[in-house]
Amino acid sequence: MASYFDEPSRTFNEYLLVPGYSSAECVPAAVDLSTPIVRFRKGEEPGLKANIPLVSAVMQAVSDDGMAIALAKEGGIAFIFGSQSIENQAAMVRRVKDHKAGFVRSDSNVRPDQTLADILVLKEKNGHSTVAVTEDGTAEGKIVGIVTSRDYRVSRTPPEAKVSEFMTPLKDLVYGEDGISLSEANDILWDHKLNQLPIIDKAGRLTYFVFRKDYDSHKRNPNELLDDQKRYIVGAGVNTRDYEERIPALVDEGVDVLVIDSSEGFTEWQARTLAFVRSRYGDSVKIGAGNVVDREGFRFLAEKGADFVKVGIGGGSICITREQKGIGRGQASAVMDVAAARNDYYKETGVYVPVCSDGGIVYDYHMTVALAMGADFMMLGRYFARFDESPTTRLVVNGSYVKEYWGEGSNRARNWQRYDLGGDGGQLSFEEGVDSYVPYAGPLKDGVSQTLAKVRSTMCSCGALSIRALQEKAKITLVSATSIVEGGAHDVILKEQQAVIR
């Protein structure tokens, strides 16, 4: 006979947190939302942590390089979608790693005998207004000057004008010597009121630029998530088909963490992918796996070397796997079961494997419930698809602003590698996702700030100043259908929202 679970499959909406004692120190500003992303041994620090427990889903409609930069500024991680060519995905990773760094290698370079037209082509291609002028036109060439937008006017400078005629020559440049610290470079920027500072070695070759805007960005985003070279942290999704080519390409571009993107993770295909990473890179490359919904699935992936395990099948707002295939589990039940398995594994082995809850989040408070139930962080699709920084177009539908949002299991995504379970592939046999709209929600920074304000406030109500403390102290209760109704506005006549003309 089939085996049966004793409890029904439950969702986050069926639970509430019961307040605990809050001391005077329990204020939202004191709450620490940092969380481990990858496995670590007892007594050691994880190799990668996030400053907030939010990562964006491996989806075409959610996670590109623009989303990765915006989310890293807030302290989270985006996993750039893998249902594209290896070259395109690697280029997105490269753009994220190049976007913010203390010392930036120049990717816009010309020779002095080139023209303004060449400068304008580079500016259009790379989006950078600072161009290095080197003897051979390479980033490592001997520098002879720089060109910024202040050195020419398109309306007055002819396109055939030689760069040497309007550039700022080396003799007029303020620059730093190779080996200078970032703090010293920033002091020079401010002392001389510069926007950029070339760093030059003893042979006169350009090695880096340091930009004022990077300093300003850090001050505006104190929670930003950076690597040891002051570059944004970025993740990427891979599949179990072309991983032997895709993973090396992403690693070469500096990706910080990978995840095997699949609707079902309890498979030999994921074991093979993890084995490839461990045999080629050891523990230096971080890779998560999933998705699973029970203890057995977690244990399988943890023992195969997954750095984190992703939980959830069929709970996403655009996912129809449950109704198409009849597999899955309520997200709350899945998270509780897997988190318990994670804790048992930690007690047995001394190795902590973080749990990522993927799907099932409808309201902001569901995030706090998921964390209390044992999730270390959450992967969100619909939530991030609503913001300006997602890669889809903002539209007006029926008088309201919306953004497009489609599942990786929809025909639109053409992502057969995620669902084919090792068959001949090439196309989807049937859809496991839908094509839809989500209400437009403005800038990511504003939305995430408001969401995390709610999470911090709820944690304070539970007497917890960290995610680990929340998991230890949380009191959780099941709710009935009538208590769900009681929890919203009821037995009143709501006033219509009308604009007031003054």
Side-chain angles (χ1 to χ4, degrees):
M1 286 184 62
S3 59
Y4 293 85
F5 289 89
D6 294 331
E7 287 291 319
S9 181
R10 298 193 182 277
T11 68
F12 294 135
N13 214 42
E14 297 177 77
Y15 293 91
L16 287 175
L17 292 161
V18 176
Y21 170 72
S22 298
S23 67
E25 289 73 31
C26 276
V27 294
V31 172
D32 178 10
L33 290 178
S34 64
T35 190
I37 299 296
V38 298
R39 68 164 57 208
F40 61 95
R41 292 192 173 276
K42 187 175 182 179
E44 298 178 355
E45 283 294 309
L48 178 62
K49 295 175 69 175
N51 293 330
I52 61 174
L54 307 181
V55 303
S56 67
V58 189
M59 301 177 71
Q60 296 172 13
V62 179
S63 297
D64 65 351
D65 49 309
M67 174 59 68
I69 292 166
L71 187 49
K73 287 180 179 179
E74 302 308 312
I77 302 173
F79 285 85
I80 292 176
F81 71 94
S83 49
Q84 59 178 320
S85 72
I86 295 172
E87 294 75 18
N88 286 348
Q89 189 183 24
M92 287 187 179
V93 170
R94 181 171 62 251
R95 287 197 291 271
V96 177
K97 300 308 288 187
D98 287 346
H99 182 82
K100 169 73 169 68
F103 295 95
V104 182
R105 292 194 180 278
S106 177
D107 63 357
S108 296
N109 311 282
V110 295
R111 301 184 309 275
D113 61 339
Q114 289 184 261
T115 65
L116 175 60
D118 296 318
I119 296 282
L120 298 178
V121 168
L122 270 181
K123 186 175 181 180
E124 178 68 22
K125 176 184 176 183
N126 297 329
H128 300 155
S129 59
T130 298
V131 177
V133 186
T134 61
E135 287 184 345
D136 61 2
T138 69
E140 297 80 22
K142 193 169 184 180
I143 188 168
V144 295
I146 66 170
V147 174
T148 72
S149 56
R150 293 183 299 180
D151 291 314
Y152 61 87
R153 290 182 65 179
V154 176
S155 60
R156 294 188 178 183
T157 309
E160 64 275 10
K162 299 293 186 184
V163 169
S164 58
E165 298 173 8
F166 57 86
M167 70 180 187
T168 301
L170 177 61
K171 64 181 180 64
D172 296 333
L173 290 178
V174 176
Y175 58 88
E177 295 182 355
D178 199 29
I180 191 174
S181 71
L182 184 59
S183 177
E184 292 169 335
N186 281 321
D187 286 343
I188 295 174
L189 282 171
W190 285 96
D191 290 345
H192 293 272
K193 300 180 180 179
L194 303 172
N195 289 324
Q196 64 283 313
L197 181 73
I199 307 299
I200 303 173
D201 68 13
K202 292 180 179 179
R205 294 188 299 264
L206 175 68
T207 56
Y208 300 102
F209 275 113
V210 176
F211 293 95
R212 177 198 286 260
K213 65 180 178 62
D214 289 347
Y215 178 87
D216 293 340
S217 175
H218 178 68
K219 291 302 180 183
R220 290 193 302 270
N221 302 286
N223 213 31
E224 62 187 358
L225 193 61
L226 306 174
D227 65 15
D228 55 5
Q229 298 180 53
K230 306 297 183 183
R231 302 177 302 177
Y232 285 132
I233 297 290
V234 59
V238 299
N239 61 67
T240 57
R241 283 291 188 165
D242 62 9
Y243 58 88
E244 292 184 353
E245 295 78 36
R246 188 175 295 270
I247 289 175
L250 297 171
V251 170
D252 287 346
E253 296 298 348
V255 72
D256 297 282
V257 59
L258 302 167
V259 66
I260 304 172
D261 181 39
S262 174
S263 63
E264 185 181 350
F266 194 0
T267 70
E268 181 181 345
W269 310 107
Q270 297 224 356
R272 291 182 183 182
T273 307
L274 292 169
F276 167 78
V277 171
R278 295 297 168 239
S279 64
R280 179 158 179 168
Y281 299 103
D283 293 329
S284 64
V285 169
K286 308 302 182 184
I287 181 168
N291 287 19
V292 299
V293 292
D294 65 2
R295 287 172 168 265
E296 193 177 2
F298 170 85
R299 190 87 186 198
F300 174 80
L301 292 176
E303 291 177 347
K304 295 300 181 182
D307 281 298
F308 64 87
V309 174
K310 201 143 64 78
V311 180
I313 294 177
S317 60
I318 41 68
C319 185
I320 54 174
T321 294
R322 295 180 193 175
E323 68 179 59
Q324 291 284 65
K325 296 174 64 175
I327 65 168
R329 196 176 187 189
Q331 190 67 8
S333 296
V335 168
M336 287 188 285
D337 199 9
V338 171
R342 184 264 324 274
N343 294 343
D344 290 343
Y345 187 79
Y346 182 52
K347 291 175 183 176
E348 292 175 26
T349 66
V351 176
Y352 188 92
V353 180
V355 168
C356 171
S357 176
D358 178 16
I361 301 292
V362 180
Y363 304 110
D364 287 349
Y365 84 86
H366 288 169
M367 299 184 192
T368 321
V369 172
L371 294 172
M373 288 178 170
D376 294 284
F377 58 101
M378 292 149 291
M379 179 171 280
L380 305 167
R382 179 195 61 86
Y383 177 84
F384 286 116
R386 305 171 304 144
F387 296 127
D388 284 325
E389 293 81 359
S390 74
T392 61
T393 304
R394 188 180 68 174
L395 306 171
V396 177
V397 176
N398 296 328
S400 298
Y401 283 113
V402 298
K403 296 203 78 176
E404 292 183 292
Y405 180 47
W406 60 93
E408 289 299 294
S410 66
N411 278 326
R412 179 174 182 175
R414 300 182 180 276
N415 191 7
W416 64 271
Q417 292 173 314
R418 189 181 198 270
Y419 293 89
D420 75 327
L421 292 179
D424 290 335
Q427 62 183 6
L428 290 173
S429 300
F430 54 88
E431 288 188 288
E432 293 185 47
V434 299
D435 199 342
S436 64
Y437 300 113
V438 288
Y440 168 67
L444 179 143
K445 185 177 184 66
D446 294 345
V448 168
S449 295
Q450 184 179 65
T451 293
L452 294 183
K454 297 177 186 178
V455 172
R456 290 187 175 96
S457 181
T458 304
M459 289 174 62
C460 286
S461 296
C462 295
L465 291 177
S466 69
I467 293 172
R468 181 60 58 85
L470 176 68
Q471 293 167 352
E472 293 171 351
K473 295 181 178 183
K475 296 181 289 184
I476 303 174
T477 181
L478 268 170
V479 295
S480 67
T482 52
S483 65
I484 293 175
V485 174
E486 180 186 64
H490 61 91
D491 300 312
V492 295
I493 300 172
L494 295 177
K495 295 179 179 179
E496 292 183 0
Q497 298 296 317
Q498 296 180 338
V500 178
I501 301 175
R502 296 183 183 277

